[in-house]
Structures are given as C-alpha cells and as structure tokens.
Amino acid sequence: MKKIQLEKAGVQCQLQFFKKTDEVIKPSLFFFLKKGDLILWDYENHSQYKLDEPYIDRLIEIASGKPIVEDDITRHLREEGLLVKEKEETREWGWDELSWIFHQGTKNPPRLESDANNWFEAYLQNCQSKPSPKEAPSSSKGEAISLAPIDKKLFQSKSLYEVCQERMTSRTFSGEKINFEVFSSLIGATFGYSSAPWGKNGNYEIYAKHKVSPSAGGLHPFEFYIMVHHVENIDPGIYKYDPQAHCLYPFEKGDFREQLIHSLAGQNFVKDLSFGVFFVADFSRVWWKYEHSRAYRQVLLDAGHQSQTCLLLATSLGLLTWPTGAIQDKEVEKLLKIENDKFSPIFFVGIGTGKPNSFNEEIISILKSNR
Ligand SMILES: Cc1cc2nc3c(=O)[nH]c(=O)nc-3n(C[C@H](O)[C@H](O)[C@H](O)COP(=O)(O)O)c2cc1C
C-alpha cells in the first residue's frame, strides 16, 4: 500500500480506476470497514450496502477496466444504480474529496413529510417516536455566581440600524474591566431565554422556552463557556453559563490567556479581551430529532445566528467584538475538558474595550512592510 498526497478535487483528480468503458462504477461512492464488513456508501442516494466477496471481486474487476461480466451480480449493481453509463466529469470544486462527500451527502436528505396536506402530522409523529436527550449535568467546581438581572435600558442608546452600522470586527483591545451589570445584561440578553413568548396565539412555552436567536427545530444545541479576563466581581477563569438560573458556574479559575491564544491559532490580541465566549455544540441535542448529517449544517448556521446576536448586543452596549472560527479543536477541547465526541467547540466571540480598529499596531506594521 502506498500513501498518496492529498489532492484537491477537480478534473485533474478523477479517480484512475474509472476506466473508459461504456459503464463505470458510480463516482459518488465510498467504502469503509465496519465490524469486519466492507460497506459501500452511495452518499448521493443515502444508501449503504454490506458487500459480500463476489460483489467486492466484481467491483474490483470493473474498476480495473476488465470487460464487464453479465450475470446477476452485475444486474444487481446496475439495478441499484451503482453501475452507470460513463459521463464526462464536469464538477468544479476547489476543496478535497472530504468536503465534496459532505456537500453531496448532505444534499437532498430523505424527506419526512409525505405531502403538503399532512407535513405537520408527519413531523410531529416523527418527533414523538423518539426519546429526546437529557441536558448534560454541569461539572461545576464551586458556587454559582448569580448574574445581575438584565437591564434593558442599557441597550437603548442606539437604534438597531445604528448598531448594525457600527458593528465591526475589532483587533485592538485594551483589557479594561467590564462593569458587572453590563456583562450580566449582555450574557443574559444573548444566551438566556427571551421574555417574549413563542407567539401571541397560544401558550407554547410548555414545549420549550423561547430564546432570542433562532435555532433549527428550536433545539438550541449550544453550551456557552465564558473565558473571563477582566470582569468586575468575577475572578479570571473559565465559567459555564446556565440560562435557566442566569448564573455562571465556575469551571476552572485562573489566568488562561496563554492557552487561549494557542487555542485560537496564535491570534495574540485575544490576551487583551475583557472576556470571550466559546460556543460548544452538543450534537446529541440535534441528532435525536434530525438523524441525517444534514443537521450538522444547521448547527453551524445556529452558531452564526447566536454569534450575530451577541455581536450586535455587545455593540449596542458600546463594547468591541471579535468573532473567530479559527478554533484549534484539540487545544480547546483540552482547555474546556471536553472528552465526549458529541460536544464540539464551533465558534468563539471575544468582547472588550479598546479602539474600534480592524487592525492592531502589529498587523499594520506588517502590512506596511509588505507594500
Ligand atoms: C465565521 C467567521 C470566522 C471568522 N474568523 C476570524 C478569525 O479567525 N480571525 C479574525 O481576525 N477574524 C475572523 N472573523 C472576522 C472577519 O475577518 C470579519 O468579519 C471580516 O473581515 C469582515 O469585517 P467586519 O466584521 O469588520 O465587517 C471571522 C468572521 C466569521 C463570520
């Protein structure tokens, strides 16, 4: 076996074993081993097959360009759409096969609802047929810190339009202490429950509580770990926000700024943030309901919505913001002691005081020297 260089997808990396014959093995397949069985996954059609030896042999024969033997195996492969007429490769794709497989494999997932008349009954039946997961218990290392009640007056100095115009990514922070009431209001207003009900036409709070940001299926899969550097009344350290009680659970106290820089790909201006929030997805809150990997996309979209709410509310409080997706997963998992694969840090938003500059001195001097 020879290890090969990872290549970008595209016309130049067509798999060599699809030889020029009238029929070929369908390109959108991959093979993997599971408990000793070789599984063929047609990711475009969302079908999997356990391959017996004669089928493995036949696929190898066809792949190596040998004349195709006409028998039940070949007919079966054809019926299942695994043997197809050869077409010219037309895809334009700048990433590797992995992203192609994810992209194609999460397109057109099997539909739940059967028609427009009964889609909601089908949806409800599907939800009720599955046990929903329990929230993970908080692993706190000390007494909870109650946050101050949300003070909505703090958000009223600018219109939403002005806030949207003002929001920007800042990279020049000064590391000043943030007032406890301001901090509490931002965390509660962004990540807590909404004071508004689901709608005015019924009491739906019995199903789930409403939040400020939208979330696919109302599942809200994120937990929020807060890295406190400079916040009034709160010691530096790592905390977890509990939206139910509007409090912080101490997770680990101390100065974690060096680890944070390392965890965020060396972007060293994070050391001067007043605090930052890791958005950690709990995938199990989603996969019980949406079983197809398509839902992975929704989790990422949810992170974007949560993040934008946070950025806008922070801006309306006169704070500076810095979002990043440059998460070094292993490092963050170590920092937050995440050991279960169902949890994954997806995004980070840094908040602080300073100058509303897109670039700090260091970046500017590098830019100047590169002119
Ligand atoms: C998903 C996402 C990931 C980002 N990752 C980084 C990052 O790793 N480092 C950084 O300095 N900015 C990051 N940003 C900020 C963008 O660079 C910034 O939004 C963009 O340059 C536009 O500038 P603006 O936010 O001031 O409008 C990210 C933004 C988003 C939405």
Side-chain angles (χ1 to χ4, degrees), residues 167-169 171 267 269 322-326 347:
R167 185 221 55 84
M168 60 163 296
T169 299
R171 295 178 185 85
Q267 301 184 79
F269 39 85
W322 176 73
T324 180
F347 208 56

Side-chain angles (χ1 to χ4, degrees), residues 23 32 57 74 101 109 117 120 158 186 201 205 209 220 264 271 279 291 298 314 338 353 355 366 368:
E23 279 180 309
F32 67 101
D57 293 344
T74 298
I101 291 173
N117 295 324
F120 191 70
K158 292 167 206 152
L186 176 59
N201 59 347
E205 305 303 294
K209 284 192 164 179
H220 291 282
L264 298 174
K271 68 180 186 308
F279 296 25
E291 289 159 42
Q298 318 291 14
I338 294 171
T353 52
K355 292 189 185 137
I366 295 171
K368 278 186 183 157

